[in-house]
Amino acid sequence: MSEEERKIEGSCGCGHEHHSDHEHHHGEECGCGHEHHSDHEHHHGEECGCGHEHHSDHEHHHGEECGCGHEHHSNHEHHHEAVRHTGHEFDQIGAHTSQKVYILENLGCANCAAKMEQAINELPEVEMATITYATKQLRVAANHQEKLLPEFQRICSSIEHQVAVVPREEILPKKKEKKNIFREHRSEFLSIGIGALLFIAGEILENVDSESLYSMIVFVIAYILLGWEIVLTALKNLKNGRVFDENFLMSTATIAAFAIGDFAEAVGVMLFYRVGEFFEDVAVERSRSQIMDAVDLRPEVVNLIHGEQVKTVPAEDVAVGDIILIRPGDRIGLDGIIEEGESRIDTSPVTGEPVPVAVKAGDEILSGCVNEQGALKLKVTRPLSESMVTRILDSVENAAASKPRMDRFITRFARIYTPIVVLAAILTAIIPSVVTGNWNHWIYTAITFLVISCPCALVLSVPLAFFSGIGAGSKQGILFKGGLAIEALKNVKAVVMDKTGTITRGEFKLQQVIPSGTASSEELLKIAAECELLSTHPIGNSIVAAAKEKNLVLCRPERTEEISGKGIQAEFSDKKALCGNRALMELHGIDLEGYQSEQYGTEVLLAVNGNYAGCLVIADTIKEDAKESVQEMKRRGIVTAMLTGDSETSAEAVAAQTGIDEVHAKLLPEEKLAKLQEIRKKHGAVMFVGDGINDAPVLAGADVGAAMGSGADAAIEAADVVFMNSSVKAIGESIRIAKVTGNIAIQNVVFALAIKALVMILGFMGFANMWMAVFADTGVAMLCVLNSIRALYTGKKM
């Protein structure tokens, strides 16, 4: 029988899915109305009254259907473009097609990257290709890529000649060193410096004697020094049919300035352009470096214990089973289990959780975290390629490759924008000149248009802003799976959450002991715990655990009998006890006059020697940050709702404690999706947050699906956003990061277009010169880069 059939037709009658490796003893009807995800027997019988989902550490086998109706890809890269999710087109590529990632070394132009991507996509052998300027990555879906690599190199170098296409696996993690700008760009500094001195000398000579040929000669030498590479590149691109290239446009504009006798202007503009390009390149590289440093936590070396010696070896050389030494202050290089030692671990680089976690021998710890105190010996459980640090980096890089709609629109717009402005420049040079006869003035005005027509600031501004947002999320333990996820998240009007594992911890704990007779709370807890000593059910375990926390001495009963669907009857040397639900009490004729059921959670009733003694309230604990986080979302005008298969009483109690606006309880998985669609119609774009296997269809159907990192693989794969620390606070934080990122991207686009339009208008009116036009190109691009990097620092410590 399938999971779906068991869920609907199962003999337990609870009406929900059961994910367990155990017998489920509900009798005729458990009445809990929920999923049971435990590795325990459920002995509370016909009506357990637990009112909660029961979860366990279960394994999701990818060969099974999760119910989302889509193909599953490894490494949690599960996207649903058909629904509207992350838009990663590579998920639509057939399994037969090879996919590979290349690094474009020396890539320095966002507009050139867009042209390379278009040209590679036009190759008949290529099914899909995308270039991510922020990470310099080219992702290609095509077969026989080793034969295509020379063609990729030809295309890229024909557009930007210094670019080298290198397969990613051939590039080892580079040592993170603080770069010296002067040493790294020595030749560029030299040429710009000498060019600037010659420009000043030419200006002085021109002011001394405006008729002198010496100033013109100096200006020509300065121009050759500053612009020869740009002119040569323009000629090469022109030979390849690339007319609307920034090198061609700058060359045309400055040579035209020479033609009308404006030597100083031509050299000055080329100098200003070179300086602007240099600072833009430095700003982009620094921004890219800051973002990658925030997300790339991979170690270069680790301390390998070999016998009595400790050797420093490359992290990629360490095998599963090796023992490595983690000293105080060290970043943990690989995933593993502590073999020896105790310490406190700062997990914030991975989960964003600021509170250090105590660890000891036997605990599993993840790479990327920082050891704060004692030395640890760690047995490696995963190689570097599969460790958490690599998975996080891959997730961020994959997300960066998934471009938002705004990015795609700007790329398409740039292809139209440049030809239109160039056409406007030609018309400006000819029509007013014919009418007025003032050819010099209008040609000069047209030249400013040519400089402004460079689209780099536009093409650069959006992807870098979104990549910064992805980096900001990663620093807080929030993994966005693409720009589309951020784009959709900033428009969310309602947040819909599952209860167990999302708002609550999914852990049963004793909340209250309510005596009815003369027995004290501790005496009542002791009797109940002794009855439940042999229990394997989560509720029974929680009672025993509570007793042990209070250091109560427990004695085994002389005889116990489990009454299916009702509870336990136990006999001690001095008494008889009943521990279970109301049905058990009624079966034995216990007078329940003193019992009132007004508590949230599961109530376990207790009778001693035929008299009702009181009850214990066991409930799933609400996460500490749930109430504050829900209130914060509501303050931002976001509607909060809860969908759960739980009973109405339990769901309403959780909602009352957290302040959630809407509650929809006793829902089957397919009913959750229908209810989600109702909420969308009522409020607008919806984000759903869940963690269970049965949440996958709802995650896929929401405008934005988010999964708790502690949840099932199917939920994580189906989600657009993953909260590594499973914090409710991360929900509001992700929306805030998305809004800030989206606003920054819009600011960049509006700023770039506004400045360009303003300079064009001023130029047409005779108030703008070529210097202003260069600022409208390289200056604006640099400001957009600096504005974009603000998104990286938008995250708050949670």
Side-chain angles (χ1 to χ4, degrees):
M1 185 179 287
S2 69
E3 284 293 324
E4 187 69 10
E5 290 169 331
R6 281 199 299 273
K7 178 177 67 184
I8 298 171
E9 298 176 9
S11 59
C12 84
C14 75
H16 296 273
E17 243 178 305
H18 299 279
H19 298 275
S20 67
D21 301 318
H22 62 281
E23 281 185 63
H24 195 139
H25 302 290
H26 277 282
E28 233 176 87
E29 184 183 1
C30 86
C32 74
H34 308 285
E35 298 171 75
H36 299 278
H37 299 278
S38 73
D39 299 323
H40 310 287
E41 281 190 348
H42 192 152
H43 64 250
H44 283 275
E46 187 176 318
E47 187 180 5
C48 79
C50 73
H52 302 280
E53 298 175 336
H54 302 280
H55 295 270
S56 70
D57 296 326
H58 58 273
E59 197 175 329
H60 174 63
H61 301 282
H62 290 271
E64 299 171 20
E65 289 185 19
C66 75
C68 71
H70 297 271
E71 189 180 347
H72 290 269
H73 302 270
S74 63
N75 297 329
H76 296 167
E77 296 170 21
H78 185 46
H79 311 278
H80 300 302
E81 176 62 9
V83 180
R84 59 84 228 113
H85 276 333
T86 55
H88 203 320
E89 299 89 340
F90 285 89
D91 288 323
Q92 309 302 319
I93 302 298
H96 64 282
T97 306
S98 171
Q99 297 184 25
K100 198 166 184 178
V101 179
Y102 303 87
I103 303 299
L104 302 182
E105 294 190 328
N106 306 316
L107 179 67
C109 170
N111 191 40
C112 298
K115 292 176 182 178
M116 294 172 194
E117 179 180 293
Q118 184 182 14
I120 293 172
N121 271 307
E122 289 171 358
L123 293 173
E125 301 91 343
V126 173
E127 283 197 40
M128 181 69 66
T130 182
I131 292 177
T132 309
Y133 179 69
T135 58
K136 296 185 179 180
Q137 289 188 354
L138 163 64
R139 291 170 180 265
V140 181
N143 291 324
H144 310 295
Q145 295 202 31
E146 63 282 353
K147 296 179 182 178
L148 289 171
L149 181 56
E151 188 65 12
F152 299 156
Q153 180 62 64
R154 184 194 66 77
I155 290 171
C156 293
S157 56
S158 71
I159 297 171
E160 199 171 355
H161 71 276
Q162 72 270 28
V163 170
V165 183
V166 183
R168 184 170 61 173
E169 60 269 19
E170 294 180 13
I171 299 178
L172 295 174
K174 293 183 179 179
K175 190 174 182 181
K176 297 176 184 176
E177 295 177 342
K178 193 170 182 180
K179 296 180 180 179
N180 186 300
I181 296 176
F182 294 97
R183 191 184 303 120
E184 198 172 329
H185 300 275
R186 187 181 301 164
S187 61
E188 198 162 357
F189 267 116
L190 194 63
S191 64
I192 291 175
I194 296 173
L197 292 173
L198 289 172
F199 171 69
I200 294 168
E203 284 278 14
I204 293 171
L205 289 171
E206 190 175 52
N207 288 330
V208 171
D209 182 4
S210 60
E211 301 296 325
S212 172
L213 287 175
Y214 292 116
S215 62
M216 185 182 73
I217 293 170
V218 170
F219 280 134
V220 169
I221 295 171
Y223 183 84
I224 292 171
L225 184 65
L226 291 166
W228 73 269
E229 193 171 2
I230 292 170
V231 174
L232 185 62
T233 303
L235 292 172
K236 288 179 180 178
N237 291 344
L238 190 62
K239 182 181 175 183
N240 294 322
R242 306 190 188 284
V243 179
F244 300 120
D245 170 79
E246 63 176 353
N247 296 289
F248 177 76
L249 295 170
M250 279 302 303
S251 300
T252 304
T254 50
I255 289 171
F258 268 112
I260 61 174
D262 211 336
F263 302 110
E265 189 88 356
V267 176
V269 166
M270 185 60 79
L271 173 64
F272 190 23
Y273 174 74
R274 285 286 305 276
V275 171
E277 282 285 289
F278 168 73
F279 281 112
E280 181 188 328
D281 290 345
V282 170
V284 169
E285 197 54 45
R286 282 296 173 92
S287 301
R288 183 187 282 129
S289 176
Q290 286 180 55
I291 298 167
M292 293 308 294
D293 285 349
V295 298
D296 188 359
L297 305 175
R298 294 175 302 169
E300 295 169 36
V301 295
V302 294
N303 299 311
L304 179 67
I305 297 176
H306 187 73
E308 297 298 318
Q309 295 182 325
V310 177
K311 294 182 179 179
T312 301
V313 300
E316 60 267 21
D317 292 348
V318 177
V320 173
D322 285 347
I323 306 294
I324 60 174
L325 177 65
I326 313 293
R327 298 186 177 98
D330 285 354
R331 187 179 298 279
I332 296 162
L334 298 160
D335 297 355
I337 297 173
I338 298 174
E339 287 280 296
E340 185 181 315
E342 292 184 7
S343 184
R344 296 188 73 83
I345 301 296
D346 175 12
T347 64
S348 61
V350 176
T351 67
E353 176 59 54
V355 180
V357 177
V359 293
K360 60 185 183 306
D363 290 345
E364 184 174 359
I365 53 177
L366 299 173
S367 52
C369 302
V370 177
N371 181 25
E372 290 193 340
Q373 295 178 352
L376 299 172
K377 290 184 179 179
L378 189 74
K379 184 176 182 180
V380 176
T381 55
R382 296 185 191 92
L384 180 64
S385 60
E386 298 174 16
S387 287
M388 179 58 71
V389 287
T390 303
R391 288 166 59 194
I392 289 175
L393 179 63
D394 287 346
S395 177
V396 171
E397 289 179 342
N398 292 338
S402 177
K403 299 178 182 180
R405 292 186 182 90
M406 188 188 296
D407 189 0
R408 297 171 190 276
F409 168 76
I410 290 298
T411 302
R412 291 194 299 268
F413 176 77
R415 293 174 192 156
I416 303 169
Y417 164 82
T418 302
I420 288 175
V421 178
V422 170
L423 179 61
I426 295 170
L427 295 175
T428 302
I430 297 173
I431 296 174
S433 298
V434 170
V435 174
T436 64
N438 191 352
W439 286 88
N440 273 21
H441 171 74
W442 291 111
I443 289 174
Y444 184 85
T445 303
I447 289 169
T448 65
F449 282 23
L450 285 179
V451 176
I452 294 169
S453 66
C454 294
C456 285
L458 285 172
V459 178
L460 176 66
S461 58
V462 174
L464 201 58
F466 275 87
F467 188 46
S468 294
I470 291 167
S474 178
K475 286 169 66 177
Q476 305 304 316
I478 301 168
L479 299 185
F480 296 107
K481 289 190 180 178
L484 268 179
I486 295 179
E487 206 167 40
L489 195 55
K490 69 184 179 68
N491 299 317
V492 160
K493 304 299 181 188
V495 172
V496 179
M497 297 165 278
D498 181 33
K499 184 176 74 67
T500 307
T502 301
I503 302 170
T504 63
R505 292 186 173 278
E507 300 171 357
F508 289 106
K509 285 192 176 180
L510 179 68
Q511 306 293 331
Q512 195 174 5
V513 179
I514 308 173
S516 180
T518 57
S520 66
S521 298
E522 285 197 356
E523 288 173 335
L524 205 64
L525 174 59
K526 181 178 184 298
I527 296 168
E530 289 173 339
C531 291
E532 298 282 2
L533 268 176
L534 299 178
S535 171
T536 55
H537 186 272
I539 293 174
N541 289 344
S542 66
I543 294 172
V544 175
K548 288 181 178 178
E549 283 178 12
K550 292 182 177 293
N551 297 318
L552 300 180
V553 179
L554 305 180
C555 302
R556 287 180 180 271
E558 294 177 354
R559 191 175 72 85
T560 59
E561 178 186 355
E562 181 177 334
I563 301 172
S564 180
K566 295 176 175 63
I568 293 174
Q569 178 178 338
E571 292 184 10
F572 299 86
S573 60
D574 58 343
K575 58 183 174 288
K576 290 184 179 180
L578 296 172
C579 183
N581 56 26
R582 182 168 188 149
L584 178 66
M585 302 295 123
E586 292 174 347
L587 178 67
H588 289 268
I590 304 298
D591 182 6
L592 297 176
E593 186 178 347
Y595 167 66
Q596 288 184 338
S597 179
E598 296 179 354
Q599 306 299 324
Y600 152 59
T602 301
E603 293 178 337
V604 178
L605 280 61
L606 197 68
V608 179
N609 294 329
N611 297 312
Y612 174 65
C615 70
L616 292 80
V617 181
I618 291 90
D620 188 0
T621 49
I622 296 172
K623 292 179 179 177
E624 291 83 356
D625 63 346
K627 183 177 181 179
E628 180 189 345
S629 304
V630 169
Q631 296 305 316
E632 179 62 28
M633 284 186 270
K634 290 170 72 173
R635 279 194 292 271
R636 293 178 186 172
I638 296 171
V639 175
T640 55
M642 180 168 64
L643 303 183
T644 179
D646 215 335
S647 69
E648 290 181 4
T649 303
S650 295
E652 290 287 354
V654 171
Q657 290 188 43
T658 56
I660 291 172
D661 297 314
E662 298 181 19
V663 180
H664 305 279
K666 299 186 75 172
L667 298 175
L668 294 170
E670 59 269 27
E671 292 172 335
K672 285 185 179 181
L673 184 55
K675 190 61 68 176
L676 180 89
Q677 291 165 350
E678 288 179 20
I679 295 171
R680 181 193 284 121
K681 287 179 184 177
K682 183 178 177 183
H683 300 292
V686 172
M687 176 188 193
F688 179 80
V689 189
D691 76 329
I693 292 174
N694 64 311
D695 290 329
V698 202
L699 287 165
D703 295 278
V704 180
M708 294 296 176
S710 58
D713 283 354
I716 291 172
E717 291 180 9
D720 301 305
V721 186
V722 179
F723 303 129
M724 296 293 289
N725 63 1
S726 299
S727 165
V728 182
K729 195 172 183 179
I731 300 170
E733 186 69 5
S734 67
I735 296 173
R736 194 183 69 80
I737 291 173
K739 285 183 181 294
V740 172
T741 301
N743 290 339
I744 288 174
I746 292 170
Q747 289 166 12
N748 286 346
V749 172
V750 171
F751 178 67
L753 286 174
I755 295 296
K756 286 177 179 287
L758 179 63
V759 174
M760 285 179 69
I761 293 169
L762 291 174
F764 195 79
M765 295 171 65
F767 297 114
N769 55 25
M770 285 176 65
W771 298 77
M772 290 179 66
V774 172
F775 172 76
D777 177 38
T778 57
V780 168
M782 186 170 62
L783 291 176
C784 286
V785 170
L786 296 175
N787 190 42
S788 296
I789 204 66
R790 284 197 305 117
L792 182 63
Y793 301 101
T794 186
K796 297 175 182 176
K797 281 290 179 184
M798 288 186 287

